[in-house]
Amino acid sequence: KGVWADKGDAVSGAHAAIYAVRKCVTDKIANVFLPCMRLLQAAANSVFNEMVSSMPRGSRDLHAILEPLMPALTDRLSDPNKRCQESTRNAILAIAVNVDPSFATHHVLKITFRRGAGGRAAAAPSLLPNKALSARCDVLQAVIDTCGLVSTDAGGVAENAHGSSNSSFTAPVLLTMAFDLLKQCPASEVRSSAVSLAAKVCSLVGRDAIKPFIKSIERQSQREAIETEIDRILNGRRGSNSSSKSAPRRRPQTQDSRPNSGLTKEQQPAAAPTPVVCQFCGYSDPEFANQSDLLDLHYWRDCPSLTQCYGCGQVVELAGLAEHRAVECEAAAGGGET
């Protein structure tokens, strides 16, 4: 152990670099971890690249010796130390460029983990922490920017230039991850990263790519809000909200805005302008008057006076949640959690 067969300088160098990095990839001391990441990047840009480009089995051999390193490396994307985060990100990008983007990101695409059950049956998978999920979405976007997407043929089979027959860095796989996060995670930073990832994919393959995924969102109001955000990103406009709730609260109609079926068009009063102040929390934004959907997005994502019922998913006023659960909630009425 620790002695490698003489398969050429590139192979020996790859083994040596990976052996050293595996020894310290979990080390919490930045001054130990950072040099190892620089070593990994240097190896990727030199010996890894040489193995893939000049050896028939180079890519497969690299996958075998790198695989034990990748789970721990991926976990460091959410390291508390910003320098360690950035160094990990750069190392994964170097592996994506010089080895294979699908291989470099196949652990990044995992959004759940299983807790140990102390000898009993394994517990159900749980979502990773919010910081880890956001970091994974962000590094996937960086890999897309650097390497592009792996294309698929007419039958949906990945055409991978790196020789891997089972590519995971395709538009459907990435959109599946993004929409799984949108359905399962209410945290604002995660939803923002997931929407950005979906928009990044759409910018390369077209907006129609999200159609089969958007249908999986149960509530129409959620679907509309997600599509609005993706369109805003694709059009180069930054969304005005950053936190999240799972369904928008529709603005109640005022007396002036209700249809007047008995009057001609000329006799009908002018429609009341969209309010610029949230009626629930008092937040004011002049853009509410210019873009009516922004107020819906505020109800859905930002308003601190609204919350999602954990039983039926309806968005209600926070102060009235208990009454809603006791009187209106369909899940509670059907014997659900109270």
Side-chain angles (χ1 to χ4, degrees), residues 122-257:
S126 301
L127 280 177
L128 291 167
N130 295 337
K131 185 176 180 180
L133 295 173
S134 295
R136 293 180 183 218
C137 288
D138 293 343
V139 79
L140 288 172
Q141 293 184 66
V143 175
I144 293 174
D145 286 335
T146 306
C147 304
L149 293 172
V150 175
S151 60
T152 55
D153 60 20
V157 178
E159 299 174 342
N160 192 349
H162 293 266
S164 173
S165 60
N166 186 23
S167 177
S168 60
F169 204 68
T170 61
V173 172
L174 293 166
L175 288 174
T176 296
M177 174 189 175
F179 277 86
D180 282 347
L181 290 176
L182 288 170
K183 288 184 288 187
Q184 298 179 40
C185 186
S188 60
E189 65 270 27
V190 176
R191 296 179 67 85
S192 177
S193 296
V195 168
S196 295
L197 175 60
K200 178 73 70 175
V201 174
C202 289
S203 70
L204 296 181
V205 299
R207 189 187 180 285
D208 287 347
I210 67 170
K211 286 184 177 179
F213 299 94
I214 206 74
K215 292 178 181 178
S216 66
I217 304 295
E218 293 183 1
R219 300 178 70 89
Q220 180 180 354
S221 51
Q222 284 182 268
R223 295 196 296 268
E224 292 173 352
I226 291 170
E227 288 182 298
T228 298
E229 289 191 73
I230 290 176
D231 288 339
R232 184 174 289 116
I233 294 173
L234 291 176
N235 293 332
R237 297 170 57 192
R238 181 178 299 176
S240 62
N241 301 294
S242 60
S243 60
S244 168
K245 289 190 174 63
S246 297
R249 172 82 170 229
R250 295 192 178 277
R251 295 189 305 279
Q253 289 184 320
T254 64
Q255 184 66 34
D256 290 337
S257 63

Side-chain angles (χ1 to χ4, degrees), residues 175 318 325:
L175 288 174
L318 186 61
R325 291 286 296 163

Side-chain angles (χ1 to χ4, degrees), residues 6 14 28 45 110 182 280 284 301 306 323:
D6 184 10
K28 300 301 181 183
N45 293 328
K110 297 177 181 178
L182 288 170
F280 299 104
S284 176
R301 304 176 58 192
L306 300 178
E323 180 181 357

Side-chain angles (χ1 to χ4, degrees), residues 309-322:
C309 172
Y310 48 85
C312 66
Q314 181 179 346
V315 170
V316 298
E317 290 188 70
L318 186 61
L321 178 60

Side-chain angles (χ1 to χ4, degrees), residues 15-69:
H15 274 279
I18 294 170
Y19 180 83
V21 173
R22 286 183 62 186
K23 288 292 184 180
C24 56
V25 68
T26 58
D27 200 302
K28 300 301 181 183
I29 301 175
N31 288 338
V32 175
F33 178 76
L34 293 173
C36 286
M37 290 300 98
R38 290 194 290 270
L39 171 62
L40 183 58
Q41 292 176 55
N45 293 328
S46 55
V47 292
F48 294 179
N49 182 279
E50 182 178 345
M51 286 182 66
V52 171
S53 60
S54 63
M55 300 181 184
R57 292 176 52 88
S59 180
R60 185 178 302 177
D61 290 343
L62 262 179
H63 289 189
I65 59 178
L66 273 171
E67 175 58 30
L69 170 68

Side-chain angles (χ1 to χ4, degrees), residues 104-118:
T105 58
H106 71 287
H107 284 288
V108 180
L109 287 163
K110 297 177 181 178
I111 63 174
T112 61
F113 71 103
R114 290 184 179 274
R115 300 179 184 274

